[in-house]
Amino acid sequence: MSNYTKSTNFATKDSLVSGNPLKIVKGTEIDTEFNNLAIAIATKKDTTAIEAVATGGTGQSSYTNGQLLIGNSTGGTLTKARLTAGTGVTILNGAGSITISSSGGGGGSDVVSNLFLYSNFGGF
């Protein structure tokens, strides 16, 4: 990636007196500026594109309530998925939240504790 660097300051030519050869705008100067712009634009990352996992993105574009990104060994990608409730467990997917609760007994705890969700891609 490269940033645009101006090669010719065309504005300074305006202050030169008429007849000064430096006042003339040359086609090569304009061509150099257009080439510098084209290179800078062509080498910048397109931020509207979906970034692939291989280059640090998620490979995903939109999500529904409660979806998480789960590692997928097929292709080394990330897959959108929701947690699956087991027997006696209820999962409620909300906007930016996942609530897990349990019912029933059996001598165990009825509350899920210490559940941490972590994302490198912007949080939940």
Side-chain angles (χ1 to χ4, degrees):
M1 293 188 286
S2 69
N3 293 320
Y4 168 69
T5 303
K6 186 175 11 177
S7 298
T8 303
N9 187 346
F10 293 102
T12 60
K13 293 179 178 281
D14 292 340
S15 63
L16 298 174
V17 295
S18 232
N20 185 329
L22 295 177
K23 189 170 181 90
I24 298 170
V25 175
K26 299 175 182 173
T28 56
E29 292 171 329
I30 294 172
D31 192 49
T32 298
E33 293 307 318
F34 280 127
N35 287 336
N36 290 345
L37 285 166
I39 290 168
I41 291 167
T43 60
K44 291 292 182 178
K45 184 174 282 218
D46 182 1
T47 58
T48 61
I50 298 169
E51 189 68 30
V53 174
T55 56
T58 64
Q60 306 294 332
S61 62
S62 63
Y63 305 88
T64 58
N65 289 347
Q67 284 186 322
L68 301 171
L69 292 174
I70 307 295
N72 185 336
S73 61
T74 303
T77 61
L78 296 170
T79 300
K80 294 181 280 189
R82 288 188 174 144
L83 298 174
T84 303
T87 304
V89 174
T90 302
I91 298 176
L92 177 62
N93 296 301
S97 68
I98 299 172
T99 303
I100 302 172
S101 57
S102 64
S103 61
S109 173
D110 287 336
V111 177
V112 175
S113 61
N114 297 326
L115 175 66
F116 297 97
L117 301 176
Y118 177 77
S119 170
N120 285 328
F121 306 107
F124 296 94

